[in-house]
Amino acid sequence: MSSPDHAAGLGRIREKLDLLRQLEAERGFGVVIGEPAPLEPLPELPGVAEVYSLFGRLEGDNFRFAPPEQIVSPAAWAARTVDESDPMGSPLPVGHEVHSIPPRLRAEIRAGAPIYLDTEDLDVYWMEPDDYVFLYEHPDSEPELTVIAPDVVTFFDEHVLGPGYPALVGTVLGPGVAEQRLRKGPHAGEYADNWRRLLIAAGLSS
């Protein structure tokens, strides 16, 4: 069962997704907002299955979020592979950047570098892939990572669907990507990222 804080956050996420679906249908930003697909809650991961139950997939120019295969059922979670040599304790990927994948290849290459959930303290964080590799080779080193949110509900509420989205892009992809604008076409001068344009249209971010 979700905590009261999670219940409030999940309610806000549900309302935001309804608004974004409506705007996408009316104006065609080119994003994907999947329909709800209920998942059974996992006591070890409060809020995680509940969040992903609100959408089947979220995808824009820079990110793709879909239910990790490890959390689609309690049986899948129990059967997940735990890498004992993983210096970060086999974290759960909660989403992936797709900016690094050419649009023509995204049907074949589904995801770039992941954004992680620490399955013990439940922080959502970003770590550069090269830093992750370095940790495997130097397990006594201090991890270099950026904690984005204290839990997955806050992550989606504030950083995927809220005012923290530009900072998320800057953290994962760099400030240059976050500020890229279109040079031509009907949206010339607007942000190049279609997900950010949608959030701005909805009044959820700037």
Side-chain angles (χ1 to χ4, degrees):
M1 181 177 294
S2 298
S3 70
D5 287 346
H6 281 169
L10 290 166
R12 289 191 297 270
I13 292 170
R14 185 179 296 105
E15 292 176 358
K16 290 176 180 181
L17 289 172
D18 287 344
L19 173 59
L20 295 176
R21 286 189 185 96
Q22 178 181 343
L23 283 173
E24 174 59 25
E26 292 172 353
R27 299 174 56 177
F29 289 84
V31 307
V32 175
I33 305 173
E35 293 300 319
L39 299 172
E40 189 173 343
L42 302 170
E44 305 95 323
L45 299 177
V48 174
E50 291 89 337
V51 162
Y52 288 103
S53 292
L54 300 178
F55 57 87
R57 177 175 144 217
L58 302 178
E59 186 169 345
D61 285 327
N62 288 332
F63 298 104
R64 180 178 188 270
F65 300 98
E69 61 182 17
Q70 301 97 315
I71 63 103
V72 297
S73 69
W77 179 248
R80 73 191 185 283
T81 299
V82 177
D83 181 358
E84 299 295 341
S85 65
D86 189 329
M88 297 302 293
S90 291
L92 181 72
V94 294
H96 297 80
E97 63 85 12
V98 295
H99 181 266
S100 64
I101 305 171
R104 68 182 184 280
L105 297 179
R106 290 183 186 176
E108 303 171 26
I109 304 172
R110 302 298 295 162
I115 299 167
Y116 290 111
L117 173 76
D118 187 309
T119 57
E120 292 187 6
D121 65 23
L122 304 181
D123 285 344
V124 176
Y125 67 89
W126 165 254
M127 175 180 281
E128 293 284 352
D130 287 347
D131 292 337
Y132 210 146
V133 173
F134 180 85
L135 271 184
Y136 266 101
E137 298 170 348
H138 304 84
D140 295 329
S141 299
E142 188 70 21
E144 293 190 20
L145 55 84
T146 300
V147 174
I148 299 170
D151 57 78
V152 76
V153 174
T154 301
F155 173 69
F156 278 97
D157 184 20
E158 298 183 2
H159 299 278
V160 177
L161 303 171
Y165 179 76
L168 173 65
V169 178
T171 295
V172 176
L173 301 173
V177 174
E179 297 306 315
Q180 284 179 351
R181 293 179 181 264
L182 296 169
R183 297 184 178 181
K184 56 185 179 180
H187 300 289
E190 297 181 22
Y191 288 109
D193 179 0
N194 60 359
W195 191 264
R196 187 170 182 180
R197 295 201 307 274
L198 174 61
L199 293 181
I200 290 171
L204 299 176
S205 187
S206 60

